[in-house]
Amino acid sequence: MSVSPSVPASAPTAVPTPTQADLLDFVRRTAADAELIASLPLDPEGRTWVRLEGPGGSEAWLIGWPPGTGTGWHDHAESVGAFVTAAGELKEHSLAARLPADGWKTLELTDGVDRERRLPTGRSRSFGRHHVHEVLNESTDRHAVSVHAYYPPLPQIRRYSRVGQVLRLEQVERPEDWQ
């Protein structure tokens, strides 16, 4: 007689870790929810945001961007992510260079690392760990709205200043700083 081990009915099921493709699919599906996008309160003076439930334990945000606003240069540390413009148009400047994870304050960037993307309504992108970028709403008269997702949930955001080819680490924010 063979005996098989019994598994309690309440045993937790493993939730798969969301990939960049999963996050991209989530932000696209979420941006297609016109009622949700229209529900975001928009402020003419500053960005607004609402936290969303992302897939597989990811962190997600619906963000409103008044005309002329942006994030400044930053990264999302060890998290991968995706975002989509749900309304309006955003512009992303990014660096095609892997930065050291820790132990530096100032870095001289090499020529050819700058990238620029226009993200009109419906356009999206995903990115890997340590992706350094800034996102801007360059419109002078129109809000933009976007959906973002990150996994693992953001452990920190490193903020940078940039003058020419010099990138300087200015601040490290933790979740309690923006919740």
Side-chain angles (χ1 to χ4, degrees), residues 3 5-6 13 27 44 55 63 89 92 113 120 134 149 174-175:
V3 177
S6 78
T13 17
V27 298
I63 301 176
E89 179 174 285
E92 179 194 35
V113 298
E134 69 174 345
R174 307 238 182 273

Side-chain angles (χ1 to χ4, degrees), residues 68 99 148:
L99 301 182
H148 302 246

Side-chain angles (χ1 to χ4, degrees), residues 5-166:
S6 78
V7 177
S10 63
T13 17
V15 176
T17 299
T19 64
Q20 287 180 43
D22 295 331
L23 297 176
L24 194 57
D25 179 59
F26 169 80
V27 298
R28 287 174 176 160
R29 282 185 291 107
T30 303
D33 182 341
E35 188 177 324
L36 175 66
I37 301 309
S39 75
L40 179 67
L42 301 176
D43 181 337
E45 301 300 317
R47 288 190 300 150
T48 54
W49 55 88
V50 173
R51 188 165 184 167
L52 305 171
E53 197 65 39
S58 64
E59 180 172 347
W61 298 90
L62 177 61
I63 301 176
W65 306 74
T69 59
T71 60
W73 287 96
H74 67 283
D75 73 16
H76 305 98
E78 295 294 325
S79 297
V80 298
F83 69 99
V84 63
T85 304
E89 179 174 285
L90 294 173
K91 183 179 192 181
E92 179 194 35
H93 293 130
S94 62
L95 300 177
R98 171 92 181 200
L99 301 182
D102 290 307
W104 66 278
K105 293 283 185 192
T106 302
L107 198 61
E108 181 84 22
L109 300 171
T110 59
D111 289 336
V113 298
D114 289 294
R115 300 292 182 268
E116 180 179 300
R117 282 185 179 84
R118 289 211 169 272
L119 298 142
T121 299
R123 182 113 184 256
S124 57
R125 70 152 347 310
S126 63
F127 53 85
R129 291 172 171 78
H130 304 288
H131 175 71
V132 177
H133 68 166
E134 69 174 345
V135 180
L136 310 159
N137 177 5
E138 292 185 322
S139 173
T140 57
D141 61 355
R142 188 169 176 211
H143 267 80
V145 176
S146 57
V147 180
H148 302 246
Y150 310 98
Y151 189 86
L154 297 172
Q156 65 183 17
I157 292 178
R158 294 181 293 192
R159 300 222 173 254
Y160 305 97
S161 63
R162 180 164 180 198
V163 177
Q165 293 299 97
V166 177

